Amino acid sequence: MSTPSLLILPGDGIGPEVMAEVVKIIDWYGEKRDLKFDVTMDLVGGAAYDKHGVPLADETMAKAQEVDAVLLGAVGGPKYDVLDFSVKPERGLLRLRKEMDLFANLRPAQCFDALADFSSLKKDVVAGLDIMIVRELTSGIYFGEPRGIITEGNERVGINTQRYTESEIRRVAIAAFELAMKRGKKLCSMEKANVMESGILWREVVEEVAKDYPEVAVSHMYADNGAMQLVRAPKQFDVIVTDNLFGDILSDCAAMLTGSLGMLPSASLGAPMENGRPKAMYEPVHGSAPDIAGQGKANPIACILSFAMALRYSFDQGDEATRLETAIEKVLADGVRTGDLLADEGVTPVSTSGMGDAIIAALDASL
Amino acid sequence: MSTPSLLILPGDGIGPEVMAEVVKIIDWYGEKRDLKFDVTMDLVGGAAYDKHGVPLADETMAKAQEVDAVLLGAVGGPKYDVLDFSVKPERGLLRLRKEMDLFANLRPAQCFDALADFSSLKKDVVAGLDIMIVRELTSGIYFGEPRGIITEGNERVGINTQRYTESEIRRVAIAAFELAMKRGKKLCSMEKANVMESGILWREVVEEVAKDYPEVAVSHMYADNGAMQLVRAPKQFDVIVTDNLFGDILSDCAAMLTGSLGMLPSASLGAPMENGRPKAMYEPVHGSAPDIAGQGKANPIACILSFAMALRYSFDQGDEATRLETAIEKVLADGVRTGDLLADEGVTPVSTSGMGDAIIAALDASL
Ligand SMILES: [Mg+2]
Ligand SMILES: [Mg+2]
């Protein structure tokens, strides 16, 4: 196997700070586990605009199409609010998602025991939570035509169209089943087949794909019941697959169950490339947090967990991903905290690099 | 003012049992508060099918159009599963909603302190919770055309259409603002105006209506953030207004926050009638629970709270509604429990009528 390639786009705000800690982790894997990556660093968002006048240069886009995985920090900041819509930092991110055709958005909701108190839910309901929501990301009601505000008679009418083809449903279902095979072999598909034809088709196609994965226990749930069950007993789920709109709401609902939004990674996967690996971009769910940028206060864990997802889903290094997640769990259990994770008075927060160093130390101890 | 009229449709399963307790409460108001109602009892659902061969007789439908409010118990049961779709018990309920044009579905999420332990959320997050979600019920993506599963090229495509006219948005917004005026004068409207034109129109119309309610503090929130905020800190909300689809998911999410789904009432309101009162139907959120029907085990509180909603929203008897809710709160604080509310060993449950009697006693004590 050739050396796996990685394009790192730290972006804006706290992006470069948290990504610096990821780079330390990557170096550790090269030195201590002989797991080397061909790393390219480049610009995205405001940082790319400052240099190139666009939030993503064509060469960067071309590179993203070539590599095994893209790792992105965060984009945006008040400095760029005045820019024209077409060159705003977020357009760089959207261009990556669109041109790489990243149709499967993986949103894990994990709750580390040591942080369970941050949740608004009772500790026993969320401690150890580890679910994965797969959201269809490139179709559905946010993209369907016709759309717009038209005038009919003497009033306006707002129109959006939910539109899913079989192949759009099939490819995200396959992505979810593949994930389920790497996890607990349990998958729940959510839609509103009771009132929506697009939900009926969704359910049928998921059932079809299920035939190729006889080991996976499949269930179907109406999305409103899904929201209830996520609040009532989230640990009943392992992998959830759902459409763009339901996934938008349910993934955020699930994220909030953990109580630590700043801890959550994500992945967006596309079709398999020639080498069999899916096109992939990994990024923390949190934003660029310009208010604390450059002060060494940012929590790098969500970005490091995004790299752990890359290890598992792009590089078939599930054991090493687990090693990294376990190291983070240990550091948190030991009480190491960045400022955002402080609840008790009297605990001194560590810096961004302090957290990275603690995780490196835990990785060393794992050998 | 003429005697207010009430059509009572106990329905199937536990419906008649829980409604019998509501009738005791109604009689109490007649005797002790000189608040008399012109009550008609009739059949709906399987009970109507057994007698008329249809789940709602035309005469019953006509009566529902005439009265000031309809109070419904529950419909359905395994006995009727074999019936043709067109005469299933649920069709009776749907006919009422459709022909009365009940476009505003009011879904309170209330959490009585005494029952806060039933929630999966921490006690301080939900104790005393009292929010009201107003869901548009007759339009949106569950009804819009075109819809269906078509074939394009060599594959099928599932299509549904979200379609909201200004007047559809306006009337539900007005209903929500009227509610906000009777409550805490705070209203949050939820949509996805960032990615949906129907959401943009929704927000514009809500802003227009807001001008007629200068006392109400209005805010707007994206629906995915709404789901997060409901989980994180639900008490930040008072009245929430949203469309059919988002309301479907968010109202169930909010209901589950309370942990006692069997306690929740609902109302569905339509346009004002000649007397100025909105067309209205009140019903518990729970179903007909055929497994415990006829055994005196059912909890009548959701149905009694539905009558309290009728007092407040159809009969302008807000003080008497509060009296009833306070009586229920006291009974629960005293530890009176039907079987569904039992958590501790050693507590003996009361029967359906035992709960009704306890609430009557608390009403007596309130005088
Ligand atoms: Mg979202
Ligand atoms: Mg629902």
Side-chain angles (χ1 to χ4, degrees):
Chain A
M1 193 170 89
S2 64
T3 309
S5 57
L6 202 48
L7 173 63
I8 295 186
L9 304 172
D12 308 321
I14 60 171
E17 288 162 78
V18 297
M19 198 61 86
E21 302 312 307
V22 176
V23 169
K24 276 154 68 171
I25 306 277
I26 292 172
D27 290 345
W28 184 90
Y29 274 102
E31 283 167 36
K32 303 291 174 75
R33 304 296 302 156
D34 199 29
L35 192 56
K36 300 197 190 300
F37 296 91
D38 179 2
V39 174
T40 307
M41 304 281 289
D42 209 336
L43 302 172
V44 70
Y49 178 82
D50 287 340
K51 180 156 182 206
H52 302 296
V54 287
L56 188 78
D58 290 342
E59 311 84 69
T60 315
M61 186 66 241
K63 185 76 186 172
Q65 296 282 22
E66 270 170 29
V67 294
D68 292 314
V70 177
L71 195 57
L72 187 139
V75 297
K79 176 181 166 189
Y80 308 105
D81 283 352
V82 297
L83 294 184
D84 184 74
F85 182 75
S86 64
V87 290
K88 275 203 194 301
E90 295 72 20
R91 305 304 299 175
L93 182 54
L94 295 175
R95 183 176 178 196
L96 283 162
R97 284 189 190 152
K98 178 155 189 259
E99 296 195 18
M100 294 170 75
D101 197 14
L102 303 174
F103 55 80
N105 186 218
L106 278 51
R107 289 280 305 268
Q110 296 165 297
C111 185
F112 291 97
D113 283 7
L115 300 180
D117 283 336
F118 282 92
S119 173
S120 57
L121 277 76
K122 287 176 179 150
K123 189 161 184 165
D124 61 309
V125 179
V126 290
L129 178 71
D130 179 13
I131 62 182
M132 173 73 80
I133 300 194
V134 181
R135 166 188 174 189
E136 200 290 325
L137 199 60
T138 54
S139 183
I141 197 159
Y142 297 160
F143 294 95
E145 300 279 348
R147 66 186 299 167
I149 298 175
I150 62 169
T151 300
E152 265 184 21
N154 56 1
E155 67 174 349
R156 290 176 299 162
V157 184
I159 293 172
N160 289 94
T161 301
Q162 164 103 325
R163 197 178 181 289
Y164 270 110
T165 67
E166 279 181 274
S167 49
E168 284 170 339
I169 301 167
R170 187 173 297 112
R171 64 184 188 172
V172 72
I174 290 171
F177 275 98
E178 289 291 331
L179 267 171
M181 287 298 292
K182 290 187 183 182
R183 293 175 47 104
K185 299 187 177 172
K186 197 168 78 167
L187 183 141
C188 182
S189 171
M190 296 186 183
E191 27 59 14
K192 287 283 291 185
N194 51 339
V195 284
M196 292 172 72
E197 285 84 353
S198 55
I200 293 173
L201 186 64
W202 182 279
R203 189 177 285 216
E204 282 181 24
V205 174
V206 170
E207 277 295 316
E208 259 174 52
V209 173
K211 289 181 193 143
D212 295 332
Y213 298 88
E215 289 177 65
V216 177
V218 183
S219 61
H220 302 273
M221 197 177 269
Y222 298 137
D224 53 339
N225 187 29
M228 287 206 276
Q229 296 305 323
L230 277 172
V231 169
R232 192 184 69 81
K235 290 190 217 169
Q236 72 186 281
F237 298 110
D238 186 347
V239 177
I240 292 171
V241 63
T242 189
D243 74 14
N244 200 341
L245 177 127
F246 293 132
D248 185 15
I249 296 177
L250 296 173
S251 68
D252 282 336
C253 178
M256 193 49 91
L257 298 176
T258 70
S260 329
L261 223 56
M263 293 282 295
L264 298 176
S266 80
S268 300
L269 306 182
M273 298 182 285
E274 271 179 30
N275 61 12
R277 293 174 178 145
K279 291 221 172 180
M281 181 159 72
Y282 300 87
E283 54 181 314
V285 168
H286 65 64
S288 61
D291 52 317
I292 58 162
Q295 301 172 37
K297 287 183 183 173
N299 181 351
I301 291 180
C303 202
I304 295 172
L305 284 172
S306 300
F307 174 65
M309 290 188 80
L311 285 174
R312 181 173 285 119
Y313 299 119
S314 280
F315 303 123
D316 263 326
Q317 296 285 348
D319 289 347
E320 296 300 337
T322 302
R323 179 194 301 278
L324 180 50
E325 289 159 354
T326 306
I328 291 170
E329 195 162 0
K330 181 178 179 309
V331 164
L332 292 170
D334 288 346
V336 181
R337 299 281 183 275
T338 41
D340 58 310
L341 300 178
L342 282 186
D344 301 333
E345 306 284 318
V347 179
T348 309
V350 298
S351 66
T352 308
S353 66
M355 180 60 89
D357 292 342
I359 293 168
I360 296 273
L363 283 172
D364 278 335
S366 77
L367 295 177
Chain B
M1 193 170 89
S2 63
T3 310
S5 57
L6 201 48
L7 172 63
I8 296 187
L9 304 172
D12 308 322
I14 60 170
E17 289 161 76
V18 298
M19 199 60 87
E21 302 312 307
V22 176
V23 170
K24 276 154 67 170
I25 306 277
I26 291 172
D27 290 346
W28 184 90
Y29 273 101
E31 284 167 34
K32 304 290 174 74
R33 301 298 300 157
D34 200 30
L35 192 55
K36 299 196 191 301
F37 296 91
D38 179 2
V39 174
T40 307
M41 305 280 288
D42 209 335
L43 303 173
V44 69
Y49 178 82
D50 287 340
K51 180 157 181 204
H52 303 295
V54 287
L56 189 78
D58 289 342
E59 310 84 69
T60 315
M61 186 65 242
K63 187 74 188 174
Q65 296 282 23
E66 269 170 29
V67 293
D68 293 313
V70 177
L71 196 56
L72 187 139
V75 297
K79 178 183 165 189
Y80 308 105
D81 282 351
V82 296
L83 294 184
D84 184 74
F85 182 73
S86 64
V87 290
K88 275 203 196 299
E90 294 72 21
R91 304 304 298 174
L93 181 55
L94 293 175
R95 183 177 176 193
L96 283 162
R97 285 190 190 150
K98 178 156 190 260
E99 296 195 18
M100 293 171 76
D101 197 14
L102 304 173
F103 55 80
N105 185 217
L106 278 51
R107 290 279 305 270
Q110 296 164 298
C111 186
F112 291 97
D113 284 7
L115 300 181
D117 283 335
F118 282 92
S119 173
S120 56
L121 276 78
K122 286 175 181 153
K123 189 162 183 165
D124 61 307
V125 179
V126 289
L129 178 71
D130 178 15
I131 62 182
M132 173 73 80
I133 299 194
V134 181
R135 167 188 174 189
E136 200 288 328
L137 199 59
T138 54
S139 183
I141 198 161
Y142 297 160
F143 294 96
E145 300 278 351
R147 64 186 299 166
I149 298 177
I150 62 169
T151 300
E152 263 183 22
N154 55 1
E155 67 175 348
R156 291 177 298 162
V157 184
I159 293 171
N160 289 94
T161 302
Q162 165 103 323
R163 196 179 181 289
Y164 269 110
T165 67
E166 278 181 275
S167 48
E168 285 170 339
I169 302 168
R170 187 173 297 112
R171 64 184 188 172
V172 72
I174 289 171
F177 275 98
E178 288 291 331
L179 268 171
M181 288 298 292
K182 290 187 182 184
R183 294 175 47 103
K185 299 188 178 172
K186 197 168 79 165
L187 184 140
C188 181
S189 171
M190 296 186 184
E191 26 59 14
K192 287 283 291 184
N194 50 339
V195 283
M196 292 171 72
E197 285 84 352
S198 55
I200 292 173
L201 186 63
W202 182 280
R203 189 177 284 214
E204 282 182 22
V205 175
V206 170
E207 277 296 318
E208 259 174 52
V209 173
K211 288 181 194 145
D212 295 333
Y213 298 88
E215 288 176 67
V216 177
V218 183
S219 61
H220 302 273
M221 197 176 269
Y222 298 138
D224 54 339
N225 188 27
M228 286 207 276
Q229 296 304 323
L230 277 171
V231 168
R232 192 184 69 80
K235 289 190 218 169
Q236 72 186 280
F237 298 111
D238 187 345
V239 177
I240 292 171
V241 63
T242 188
D243 75 13
N244 199 342
L245 177 128
F246 294 132
D248 185 14
I249 296 177
L250 296 174
S251 67
D252 283 336
C253 178
M256 193 49 91
L257 299 176
T258 70
S260 329
L261 224 55
M263 294 281 295
L264 297 176
S266 79
S268 300
L269 306 181
M273 299 182 287
E274 272 180 29
N275 62 12
R277 294 172 178 147
K279 291 221 174 183
M281 180 160 71
Y282 300 86
E283 53 181 313
V285 168
H286 65 64
S288 61
D291 53 316
I292 59 161
Q295 301 171 38
K297 288 183 182 172
N299 180 351
I301 291 179
C303 201
I304 294 172
L305 285 172
S306 299
F307 174 66
M309 290 188 80
L311 285 173
R312 179 172 287 118
Y313 299 118
S314 280
F315 303 123
D316 263 325
Q317 296 284 347
D319 289 348
E320 296 299 337
T322 302
R323 178 193 301 278
L324 181 49
E325 289 159 353
T326 306
I328 291 169
E329 195 162 1
K330 180 177 180 309
V331 164
L332 292 171
D334 288 347
V336 182
R337 299 280 184 273
T338 42
D340 58 310
L341 300 179
L342 282 187
D344 301 334
E345 305 284 319
V347 178
T348 310
V350 298
S351 66
T352 308
S353 66
M355 180 59 89
D357 292 342
I359 294 167
I360 296 273
L363 283 171
D364 279 333
S366 77
L367 295 178

